[in-house]
Amino acid sequence: MNHHPRQREPRLSLLLYYLFKWSVVNPMFRGYFRGRIYGAENMPKTGPVLVVANHASDFDPPIVSSCVRRPVSYMAKQELFKVPVLSPAIRAYGAYPVKRGGSARGAIQAALQQLEKGWAVGVFLQGTRTRDGRIPEPKLGAAMIAAKAQVPLVPVSLWGTHRILPRGGKFPKPLPVTVRIGPSIAPPESTKDKAALRTLTDYCCDRIHAMHDLGR
């Protein structure tokens, strides 16, 4: 990574973010889910940063972006980037394509490129959704990206999102959701020390679980 990454996301992305946030996500989060946010001041307003979170619902990415008060770039299935209209929209919104079943290295490389452009990049530590919002088997990818890019990690806990869309359900239920944002965590010094990557990953998980345990 060079020494002068951009400090902000592209202007068009910021514009789209605020448009989508205030017209759709925020009203739904505040009104429909009676959303509460704690710790928003812990999120750096500018500069590349890694947002690490638990994951239980497809609604999590827009909710996280809205709550941390800046766009968060997530990886999305490569197939979505072939859909007309949707492709430029999700690109502007910060999504980056990752091959299904592709290499972890490819995903890490794509995330590093987004950080270089000044984005906050979001990583769900489990990699996939879990039924209860806990993180039983966290992956080392986030620690690896943070170590390579030397950017801080900000832990985020999503509480209640696992209940809003039951399996097979068509519409989200108006159940309460609480988002907590913890103080940032320094990145590991090197990608070579596997034990340090594991220690940091477990520490991020502990922080997220501790916030999750606070409940509503």
Side-chain angles (χ1 to χ4, degrees):
M1 194 167 187
N2 70 35
H3 296 296
H4 301 286
R6 287 175 54 114
Q7 290 302 299
R8 267 328 317 228
E9 311 76 2
R11 278 216 178 118
L12 172 64
S13 301
L14 276 172
L15 186 68
L16 282 172
Y17 164 74
Y18 285 114
L19 198 65
F20 188 55
K21 171 174 173 165
W22 295 115
S23 62
V24 180
V25 185
N26 207 53
M28 191 161 181
F29 178 73
R30 293 289 194 186
Y32 194 69
F33 296 130
R34 306 194 297 289
R36 288 181 186 171
I37 306 168
Y38 297 96
E41 69 284 354
N42 287 319
M43 178 71 180
K45 290 189 174 63
T46 59
V49 59
L50 212 55
V51 175
V52 289
N54 57 328
H55 186 27
S57 158
D58 287 338
F59 287 85
D60 294 345
I63 287 175
V64 169
S65 284
S66 181
C67 293
V68 300
R69 300 181 187 166
R70 61 181 282 195
V72 178
S73 174
Y74 283 96
M75 61 171 109
K77 289 178 297 205
Q78 206 172 26
E79 300 87 79
L80 298 176
F81 290 84
K82 296 192 175 79
V83 183
V85 186
L86 181 65
S87 174
I90 60 176
R91 260 184 212 283
Y93 209 66
Y96 55 94
V98 172
K99 258 191 205 141
R100 211 184 248 274
S103 75
R105 185 176 294 172
I108 287 170
Q109 212 44 53
L112 289 169
Q113 283 167 2
Q114 290 299 89
L115 288 168
E116 189 73 45
K117 293 173 190 165
W119 284 92
V121 168
V123 177
F124 293 119
L125 288 178
Q126 182 71 18
T128 54
R129 286 172 298 170
T130 59
R131 281 174 181 272
D132 57 359
R134 307 298 280 184
I135 311 168
E137 293 169 16
K139 309 283 186 288
L140 297 182
M144 185 79 85
I145 293 164
K148 269 186 190 289
Q150 284 302 295
V151 297
L153 302 100
V154 173
V156 173
S157 153
L158 295 140
W159 179 91
T161 63
H162 65 290
R163 290 198 305 258
I164 59 183
L165 195 64
R167 282 183 192 277
K170 291 276 190 288
F171 294 100
K173 294 182 168 183
L175 295 168
V177 171
T178 299
V179 175
R180 294 178 191 272
I181 301 152
S184 63
I185 299 165
E189 285 173 17
S190 155
T191 56
K192 308 262 188 306
D193 185 348
K194 198 96 185 268
L197 295 178
R198 170 53 63 200
T199 300
L200 179 95
T201 302
D202 290 342
Y203 180 61
C204 288
C205 268
D206 291 345
R207 292 279 291 275
I208 292 167
H209 283 151
M211 292 190 286
H212 197 260
D213 288 341
L214 295 171
R216 183 69 173 143

